Amino acid sequence: FLFFFSYPLVQNVTVTEGGTANLTCRVEYNDNTSLQWSNPAQQTLFFGDKKALRDNRIELVRASWSELTISISDVSLSDEGMYTCSLFTMPVRTAKAYLTVLGVPEKPEIDGLTKPAKEGDHITLTCMTQGSKPAADLRWFRNEKEVKGAKEVNASGKTFTVRSSLQLHVDRNDDGVAYTCRVDHVALAQAPQQATEVLEVHYAPHVEIIHSLAVPQEGQYLKLECVSKGNPSPDPVMWTKDGGELPDLDRMIVEGRELTFTSLNKTDNGTYRCEATNHLGTSSAEYVLYVYDPNALGQHSTDHALIGGVVAVVVFVTLCLIIVLGRYLARHKGTYLTNEAKGADDAPDADTAIINAEGNHAHAEEKKEYFI
């Protein structure tokens, strides 16, 4: 009998460090010839269903004349390499499968953050991860927006150490901002590793005053709010009037950042100053208060309305005069042109028309003199 033997069929395998690799060898035609798996060091792992290497991690999955499948659990980087399946015919036929072991990068760490930072500081954040194979990629995010860092890759045996640096010029807008370093790697497809640091930035106060009335009047209630932003928070704020202490604490009530006037009067007129301080500096804002007499304010409104009405009447009369005068001038000009044309109607030529027109002018002048 003549048998046709085929070559063994294998496939390359990729597994994450710590995982399990299955190596399968198949043949289509076999006359009860044994199959064998050997490792990159040419050590026999299994010959048919017989285990040849004493390694508890290596187990038989399936053995038959057409297939030999084994598993390697808790795979390490040292297991990577070329594995050989042999079909013991004459001659021996072999096929090779490469086992690739992915090194899982460690959880990243962020260094270089000073807490708290001060506005104007220059700081460098450095993110590092070790143990990746192939080299991992590091990405920076400012809150949810990606920002670019400077990447550095160093080989360490079979794995890589990856660093990425981010230069920051800190200002008050960075206070409370989360900077995240994320590791992207094929071994972390389902759950990427990341580390996050939140910046705390100290900065000097900034102050402004918000008032509750646009036109303060006698007897009204007025609230001035001193809005101060700083870190640390500049509490408490200090209120003064015209460079000195508040004069009437019965009607002027200070509660936290607010200065309240229960009932305004003319004696409240002046410049009010709010000042806020923390260890980085001092900021202040001023509000000039002028209390109006509600009766005088009403009289002024009446006077303004009267003046406005007079101006409107004058403008209307002026426009009417311009229209009447324009129509009069237009009509007078039309009469003049008609008289000019009369001399030309009966003239046989241009010269006669000019003479007739001049005669009409002279005749018209004579009539005017006669009337006078």
Side-chain angles (χ1 to χ4, degrees):
F1 295 98
L2 184 63
F3 291 95
F4 296 93
F5 297 98
S6 62
Y7 279 88
L9 301 175
V10 297
Q11 286 185 330
N12 294 332
V13 176
T14 299
V15 65
T16 301
E17 185 179 13
T20 299
N22 286 332
L23 300 175
T24 298
C25 179
R26 292 189 177 91
V27 290
E28 293 184 4
Y29 304 103
N30 191 358
D31 65 340
N32 299 337
T33 302
S34 297
L35 291 168
Q36 171 187 291
W37 271 114
S38 56
N39 64 15
Q42 296 304 311
Q43 296 172 312
T44 300
L45 304 179
F46 267 89
F47 185 81
D49 59 357
K50 304 293 191 296
K51 187 173 183 177
L53 186 67
R54 303 179 71 177
D55 188 335
N56 294 331
R57 300 177 306 128
I58 304 174
E59 295 181 355
L60 178 66
V61 176
R62 185 178 297 105
S64 67
W65 300 117
S66 61
E67 177 183 341
L68 178 60
T69 298
I70 63 173
S71 69
I72 306 174
S73 60
D74 194 19
V75 173
S76 65
L77 294 176
S78 62
D79 292 320
E80 183 173 89
M82 193 74 74
Y83 287 74
T84 304
C85 176
S86 302
L87 175 63
F88 282 88
T89 57
M90 293 298 293
V92 176
R93 302 188 180 199
T94 63
K96 296 182 181 295
Y98 196 89
L99 174 62
T100 301
V101 181
L102 302 177
V104 181
E106 296 178 2
K107 183 178 176 63
E109 296 179 354
I110 298 177
D111 294 322
L113 184 63
T114 56
K115 287 189 175 183
K118 294 181 181 179
E119 185 173 35
D121 284 352
H122 291 270
I123 63 176
T124 301
L125 299 181
T126 302
C127 179
M128 182 184 72
T129 181
Q130 296 176 310
S132 60
K133 177 182 170 295
D137 188 27
L138 295 179
R139 298 167 65 188
W140 284 101
F141 294 86
R142 185 183 188 274
N143 289 336
E144 300 300 323
K145 183 178 180 181
E146 187 169 359
V147 291
K148 189 173 180 59
K151 182 180 174 182
E152 177 187 344
V153 179
N154 293 300
S156 178
K158 291 187 175 184
T159 62
F160 296 89
T161 298
V162 184
R163 292 180 178 85
S164 181
S165 300
L166 191 63
Q167 304 284 339
L168 299 177
H169 182 204
V170 178
D171 63 25
R172 63 188 59 201
N173 294 324
D174 286 312
D175 186 40
V177 170
Y179 281 89
T180 299
C181 173
R182 191 173 80 188
V183 181
D184 283 351
H185 192 265
V186 63
L188 300 173
Q190 302 301 322
Q193 298 269 27
Q194 64 183 38
T196 300
E197 292 286 351
V198 178
L199 264 63
E200 180 186 356
V201 181
H202 283 188
Y203 53 93
H206 173 74
V207 173
E208 62 177 320
I209 295 175
I210 298 176
H211 49 88
S212 62
L213 293 175
V215 183
Q217 302 176 37
E218 286 184 294
Q220 287 186 325
Y221 171 94
L222 173 66
K223 182 173 73 174
L224 301 181
E225 182 181 0
C226 181
V227 179
S228 60
K229 295 181 180 179
N231 192 17
S233 180
D235 289 323
V237 299
M238 184 174 67
W239 286 98
T240 58
K241 178 187 178 185
D242 297 329
E245 295 182 355
L246 299 178
D248 190 350
L249 294 179
D250 291 332
R251 291 183 309 102
M252 300 178 185
I253 302 172
V254 177
E255 292 182 347
R257 302 171 183 268
E258 296 178 355
L259 171 60
T260 302
F261 299 81
T262 56
S263 180
L264 290 171
N265 62 46
K266 288 286 187 178
T267 63
D268 295 327
N269 290 345
T271 300
Y272 292 83
R273 181 185 180 91
C274 166
E275 187 174 282
T277 302
N278 65 16
H279 71 279
L280 292 175
T282 299
S283 178
S284 63
E286 293 183 345
Y287 172 76
V288 177
L289 174 61
Y290 182 82
V291 180
Y292 291 88
D293 181 351
N295 297 323
L297 204 60
Q299 182 64 39
H300 288 323
S301 299
T302 304
D303 293 342
H304 291 161
L306 182 59
I307 293 171
V310 171
V311 171
V313 170
V314 170
V315 171
F316 177 74
V317 171
T318 303
L319 289 174
C320 290
L321 289 175
I322 291 173
I323 292 171
V324 171
L325 182 60
R327 294 189 64 180
Y328 171 77
L329 291 175
R331 182 176 296 175
H332 180 72
K333 183 177 180 181
T335 304
Y336 174 78
L337 292 175
T338 302
N339 290 334
E340 287 284 325
K342 285 180 180 179
D345 288 342
D346 300 327
D349 53 36
D351 293 337
T352 305
I354 294 172
I355 294 170
N356 288 345
E358 291 176 352
N360 287 337
H361 278 299
H363 185 61
E365 291 297 329
E366 290 174 1
K367 286 183 178 181
K368 289 180 182 178
E369 291 177 2
Y370 178 77
F371 269 116
I372 294 171

